[in-house]
Amino acid sequence: MILAFCLALAAASPAAPERIVAVLPIDPGALDARGAAALEEEVRAAVVQVLGEGGLVSSDAQRAGIGGSRVGPAEAARKLSATHVLTATSRRMEGAMAVSWSLVSQEGKTVGTSRLVGFTPAEVRAEARHKIEDLLREAFGLAPPRAAAGAGTLRIPAAPHAVPGPVAPVSTGPAVEAPSAAPAGIPAVAPESQSLEALIRETVADVEAVRGLKRRNELQILLLDDEAFAKALRKKAEQELTPAAVARERARWTAFNLARPSLDPGKVILSVLDEQVAGFYDPQTKALMVRAHIPASAAAPGTDGIRFVLAHEIEHALQDQHFGIPDLTGEVDDDARLARLSLFEGDAQAAMIAVAAHRAGKPVKLVLAATADAMNQMTVEDLMRKSGFSPQLLRAPAVVREELLTPYVAGLKLVAEVHRRGGWSLVNRMFQSQPLTMHEVLHPEAYLAGEHPAPVPYPSAPTGLKAVAQGRMGEVGARLALSGCVDDKVARDLVSGWSGDAYTIVRTTSGQLALIWSTSWSDGAQSFANLLKMQGPCWEEAASIPGQEIAAQSEIRIDGPRVGLARGLSRFALETAATSAVTFAGLASAPTPPLGVVKPAAAGEKGRVQEGRFVDPRLAIEADLPDGFDADVQQPQQEIVLRKERPTALATISFVPQAAAPETVNGFFEATAKALAKELGGTTVHFKQAQQTTLLGGSAQERSWEVPGTRMLLRVTLAPACGGKAFYAVMRATADEAPRKELEKFVSSLHFLGAEPSPACEELE
């Protein structure tokens, strides 16, 4: 809970009790306590500006009224003797912070809302004053409502002298002309500022320059207010969430125990999308739609704000013009749908990151690879914890969270790996040979090798029963089906051996659902069968929930690499269905690399430990490991971390992709020393000396510090790399002489495996 105090505010006239407002604490979400407190202060100032100070409830009165407890808005208003309260929730929305304020009466009626959006707490605060003032004036009839903020249609013509893309479009149909007006039912109004129009045009130019795809047709961008955007988003989502699609999804959720039976997939998905989506490209209308309520600072020179959301969606428009975006509405194969979506979302993510790197003056290849590597270390749960996504998404079933976020995270990983091997031209070729399974997306080496899934047929429905849904769960779905009753990490490790699957869900004569699931495994079939058996208690528990449509009884069969499951049928029918579920050939065809022969993966290969040595193909270096130290080569920011508990000693090697300019080097020395001291339990550092030394056979700078209150000595050595475009950083922290000598031997043994440029240096180009 965010502990903060609220103020009750009155209008200028004390005789107007209908205008007493209390500002409640912001619910935890995208903002930390400090950011929330600062925003609340801005909101209180806005209320004072509109209503005056005469009706303010003191902080003491508020504490006496509601204390720090959580109460509903209406109850809070009554306890504080306020007629209305301003209450807010904060969340993340495609990287931006969104704080939604509601003005609620004592009767619990919401009489007005306002959304503040920004990419930093400062940007959100900059929005607060005028938007909250507008909200109050409109709600209390103090002034005519301000015209809805929002730009309408901005048309950017095809690029002059546009050259054909390197790959022919997937779609061979006639070219579709860009619509001449906003889609029906969506109001279009004039752009609210020239700076916003300039930002959009600049972002289009950035995406084209960095990604290399030029406009072939007019590019239409619609800036919509919240109401119009929500209508457009809902209309697009409802085209995909047809009654038949929702029924199939509900059956899948029930059969695989993915969500409570009372949940409606259509309502859950729509609520999540409305909270999360900041913009989208509609292939049907060829229009890019973006929420127009962005912070004023986002369109100011020198700020990025909404730029990266625009970059992502602009890339979708360019994808459509060059390769065609497939219509996945009728795709019943859940795995294939996610895989194809991952390519398009991963490429859009990559384009967005590339624009950010380009604008920051950093190497696109390196930043793209580093970002993908960092995200690859995170599960969807990790990503949500670190990013502060919306309450609706946090409360949604795991299947919704995974299938919404995985295409962005795993898709970026796949695209970044292909880009690492052959740049954007190789990425373009992926659209002609799209991944068919999430196994290929999650394991780029499987995609590049052309590994095909086993041809698992849909299981036959038992005699007399009709199939209500068929599909394939894939590696992601198989893990979700196991994770309900098995540790997620165990399930994640096991399902990497997935080789193919297919399921059929039927309606029994009693009106219940039943499941027949056929799976094929390149490794771990017996382990998968064992984990399925462990689902029994969860299935029993789910079957006891009122409204549940599937019984718990099940039967599992294993035949070599094939595992079959039948659930929810009568005992005899279970045995027959489970046996039938493993009666298929299940042999995958020979691999066929979709992109042909591509360069080796050395550029992306992290360091490793072998036979007492540290070998790093990416940096093309190696060294003798010190005795008694644990080596960790899995950290995303360091090539290796060496630790010794007693006596305490620590060392790291890092590659810093910044030119070794004096100010950069000095800043790195200072920041590293302070960070090390903090990690080791100190609060300050005492500079000891600076000297010239050697590292990797060349000249280097070295500085050392003592950490007061400890016996630790810190040493940091920096040497230029890649002709001065980057530098190597070797850090040591020791408390005793013996480990100190061991680490110096390690540093002295560092040498190159070959002449530069190393793969890391190539990433800087």
Side-chain angles (χ1 to χ4, degrees):
M1 179 188 300
I2 296 177
L3 299 177
F5 60 91
C6 310
L7 296 176
L9 301 138
S13 170
E18 73 279 5
R19 296 175 183 173
I20 301 176
V21 176
V23 180
L24 300 184
I26 300 172
D27 284 345
L31 294 171
D32 58 18
R34 180 181 299 179
L39 178 58
E40 289 164 17
E41 192 65 35
E42 286 292 329
V43 172
R44 286 193 290 271
V47 177
V48 170
Q49 181 66 31
V50 175
L51 302 179
E53 297 182 356
L56 294 184
V57 174
S58 70
S59 57
D60 289 340
Q62 176 176 311
R63 282 193 290 269
I66 64 172
S69 63
R70 288 186 180 275
V71 297
E75 183 182 354
R78 291 192 294 271
K79 287 189 173 184
L80 293 170
S81 299
T83 58
H84 299 77
V85 295
L86 277 167
T87 181
T89 58
S90 66
R91 58 189 179 276
R92 287 278 180 182
M93 185 175 66
E94 292 195 4
M97 298 178 183
V99 183
S100 297
W101 287 90
S102 297
L103 184 66
V104 183
S105 69
Q106 273 193 1
E107 294 74 31
K109 179 181 178 182
T110 299
V111 296
T113 61
S114 183
R115 184 199 297 258
L116 315 179
V117 181
F119 283 78
T120 66
E123 290 181 347
V124 175
R125 290 198 301 275
E127 291 237 293
R129 190 68 68 94
H130 76 86
K131 283 196 172 182
I132 297 300
E133 288 181 16
D134 285 352
L135 168 62
L136 294 171
R137 292 183 186 280
E138 293 172 15
F140 294 139
L142 299 179
R146 177 180 290 191
T153 306
L154 174 64
R155 293 185 179 84
I156 301 177
H161 310 297
V163 295
V167 181
V170 173
S171 173
T172 57
V176 180
E177 293 294 326
S180 58
I186 300 178
V189 293
E192 69 180 312
S193 71
Q194 292 298 315
S195 60
L196 185 55
E197 180 177 338
L199 172 68
I200 293 172
R201 294 184 184 278
E202 187 178 81
T203 306
V204 171
D206 281 347
V207 175
E208 290 187 330
V210 173
R211 181 60 180 83
L213 300 177
K214 304 295 183 182
R215 280 158 285 144
R216 289 178 164 177
N217 301 310
E218 180 181 72
L219 183 60
Q220 180 178 233
I221 300 173
L222 301 177
L223 300 172
L224 308 175
D225 63 27
D226 279 353
E227 182 179 358
F229 183 88
K231 288 181 179 178
L233 178 62
R234 180 170 289 269
K235 180 179 179 181
K236 183 177 186 298
E238 288 176 345
Q239 289 174 348
E240 300 179 13
L241 294 170
T242 62
V246 171
R248 287 196 304 268
E249 189 69 351
R250 185 193 288 274
R252 183 172 73 108
W253 286 13
T254 299
F256 288 96
N257 203 28
L258 300 177
R260 300 191 308 273
S262 60
L263 289 180
D264 182 318
K267 292 181 179 178
V268 171
I269 294 171
L270 282 172
S271 67
V272 167
L273 289 178
D274 184 55
E275 293 260 320
Q276 292 297 139
V277 177
F280 66 92
Y281 173 73
D282 186 353
Q284 291 188 344
T285 62
K286 308 299 177 185
L288 192 163
M289 303 186 192
V290 180
R291 292 186 192 266
H293 283 174
I294 61 174
S297 57
T303 61
D304 289 317
I306 199 68
R307 184 189 307 274
F308 301 133
V309 174
L310 284 168
H312 182 107
E313 302 305 330
I314 288 167
E315 173 60 11
H316 279 319
L318 296 177
Q319 289 170 349
D320 196 18
Q321 292 186 10
H322 283 263
F323 315 120
I325 293 180
D327 181 5
L328 300 178
T329 303
E331 179 62 78
V332 298
D333 186 330
D334 318 289
D335 191 41
R337 175 179 54 81
L338 273 184
R340 299 180 75 183
L341 184 62
S342 295
L343 171 58
F344 286 85
E345 295 299 350
D347 176 55
Q349 285 288 91
M352 178 181 70
I353 292 166
V355 167
H358 174 70
R359 296 191 64 81
K362 295 182 178 180
V364 168
K365 183 183 290 187
L366 182 68
V367 172
L368 182 56
T371 303
D373 287 344
M375 292 185 70
N376 187 40
Q377 304 296 321
M378 302 166 63
T379 65
V380 165
E381 296 297 330
D382 294 333
L383 183 65
M384 292 179 63
R385 283 195 297 269
K386 291 179 181 291
S387 302
F389 281 93
S390 78
Q392 290 288 358
L393 184 60
L394 292 170
R395 290 193 293 265
V399 61
V400 174
R401 301 196 300 267
E402 292 278 348
E403 294 186 354
L404 180 67
L405 298 179
T406 297
Y408 293 84
V409 178
L412 173 62
K413 174 185 175 183
L414 174 63
V415 170
E417 183 59 33
V418 172
H419 182 274
R420 180 182 260 157
R421 308 290 189 95
W424 294 116
S425 61
L426 195 62
V427 172
N428 292 343
R429 289 169 55 190
M430 296 177 69
F431 290 91
Q432 287 186 320
S433 301
Q434 299 178 19
L436 302 176
T437 68
M438 282 305 295
H439 180 78
E440 297 172 74
V441 176
L442 295 167
H443 309 281
E445 67 279 4
Y447 170 76
L448 291 168
E451 294 181 7
H452 301 296
V456 182
Y458 294 124
S460 300
T463 303
L465 301 183
K466 182 180 179 181
V468 296
Q470 291 182 312
R472 305 184 195 279
M473 292 292 279
E475 185 171 327
V476 172
R479 175 172 60 80
L480 290 170
L482 294 177
S483 295
C485 231
V486 174
D487 180 78
D488 184 69
K489 186 178 186 308
V490 174
R492 191 179 299 273
D493 291 342
L494 184 280
V495 297
S496 63
W498 177 94
S499 181
D501 83 280
Y503 66 82
T504 296
I505 301 170
V506 300
R507 183 76 64 182
T508 67
T509 53
S510 64
Q512 294 284 91
L513 294 176
L515 167 69
I516 306 98
W517 189 20
S518 300
T519 64
S520 179
W521 300 86
S522 61
D523 183 46
Q526 183 62 61
S527 297
F528 175 70
N530 293 339
L531 293 186
L532 276 182
K533 293 174 183 177
M534 293 173 63
Q535 301 299 309
C538 290
W539 294 342
E540 291 282 356
E541 181 181 354
S544 67
I545 298 175
Q548 182 61 278
E549 292 187 87
I550 187 167
Q553 61 264 29
S554 64
E555 191 73 25
I556 297 167
R557 290 285 188 273
I558 180 169
D559 182 5
R562 296 170 291 276
V563 178
L565 165 70
R567 179 186 172 205
L569 297 166
S570 64
R571 174 51 55 190
F572 176 75
L574 280 174
E575 295 176 356
T576 302
T579 300
S580 174
V582 294
T583 308
F584 61 92
L587 299 177
S589 58
T592 306
L595 307 180
V597 179
V598 297
K599 77 179 198 177
E605 188 177 348
K606 290 281 288 181
R608 61 181 182 271
V609 172
Q610 60 182 43
E611 299 178 354
R613 297 182 65 76
F614 165 61
V615 181
D616 193 321
R618 177 171 173 266
L619 299 188
I621 61 174
E622 66 176 352
D624 298 322
L625 290 175
D627 293 334
F629 281 77
D630 294 326
D632 181 0
V633 293
Q634 299 302 318
Q635 298 301 315
Q637 301 301 322
Q638 289 86 29
E639 303 299 318
I640 187 171
V641 177
L642 298 170
R643 294 182 184 275
K644 191 172 187 177
E645 295 299 329
R646 296 184 181 178
T648 302
L650 175 70
T652 67
I653 297 177
S654 302
F655 178 77
V656 184
Q658 299 181 45
E663 62 274 13
T664 302
V665 170
N666 290 333
F668 187 89
F669 272 130
E670 182 178 350
T672 302
K674 290 180 179 179
L676 272 173
K678 184 177 181 180
E679 181 177 346
L680 297 168
T683 56
T684 60
V685 292
H686 181 263
F687 179 73
K688 187 176 180 183
Q689 68 174 6
Q691 63 179 8
Q692 291 295 119
T693 184
T694 58
L695 179 67
L696 290 165
S699 177
Q701 299 181 51
E702 183 173 286
R703 297 181 190 177
S704 58
W705 301 261
E706 293 175 336
V707 183
T710 74
R711 297 167 49 219
M712 301 301 295
L713 176 67
L714 312 182
R715 300 177 71 179
V716 179
T717 308
L718 305 183
C722 311
K725 296 179 180 179
F727 55 90
Y728 303 105
V730 180
M731 180 282 299
R732 290 89 81 203
T734 55
D736 295 84
E737 187 63 25
R740 190 172 300 146
K741 288 182 177 179
E742 285 293 324
L743 289 179
E744 292 313 308
K745 285 171 57 180
F746 166 72
V747 174
S748 299
S749 71
L750 280 166
H751 65 275
F752 288 111
L753 293 169
E756 287 193 309
S758 67
C761 291
E762 292 178 357
E763 291 178 348
L764 299 176
E765 300 301 326

